[in-house]
Amino acid sequence: MYVILVYDMNTKRVGKMLKLCRKYLNWIQNSVFEGELTKVQLENFKAEAKEIMKEGDSLILFKNREQYWLQKEVIGDEKSSIDNFL
């Protein structure tokens, strides 16, 4: 499944969440990631994220079966393009 993830964390936990997200997904902009995950990978990610998160933190996941169902438009500089990967 294709996932777009957005998080808002207390500055004390941002580094841990960033490291976790990079383990599973591609960084595209500050606190925003995207990529393909299996159901098992997604469940593992959510379990690990819940261990990091505390009160006041939030994590939003947009999920779709396939990336091609989404139309992505970038206006301005793209922080990290994944189009160059083979």
Side-chain angles (χ1 to χ4, degrees):
M1 104 181 32
Y2 189 75
V3 175
I4 297 173
L5 176 147
V6 180
Y7 68 80
D8 186 13
M9 300 282 146
N10 182 291
T11 55
K12 296 176 184 176
R13 293 178 291 284
V14 167
K16 288 181 182 181
M17 186 58 72
L18 175 65
K19 185 176 179 180
L20 174 64
C21 291
R22 285 184 172 173
K23 177 178 165 183
Y24 287 92
L25 297 164
N26 301 303
W27 175 76
I28 58 169
Q29 198 168 33
N30 297 341
S31 302
V32 182
F33 293 79
E34 69 179 348
E36 293 282 340
L37 294 177
T38 65
K39 287 185 179 185
V40 171
Q41 287 172 321
L42 181 58
E43 291 306 314
N44 289 341
F45 169 80
K46 290 193 299 188
E48 290 180 56
K50 287 177 183 177
E51 291 178 14
I52 295 170
M53 295 175 69
K54 305 286 186 211
E55 187 175 333
D57 295 340
S58 67
L59 179 71
I60 301 171
L61 296 166
F62 298 93
K63 302 178 282 186
N64 205 328
R65 287 179 288 165
E66 301 289 337
Q67 179 181 0
Y68 66 84
W69 288 101
L70 298 173
Q71 183 177 358
K72 178 180 171 183
E73 179 179 358
V74 178
I75 300 171
D77 293 336
E78 188 168 11
K79 299 284 186 185
S80 180
S81 174
I82 60 172
D83 295 339
N84 296 334
F85 291 115
L86 298 175

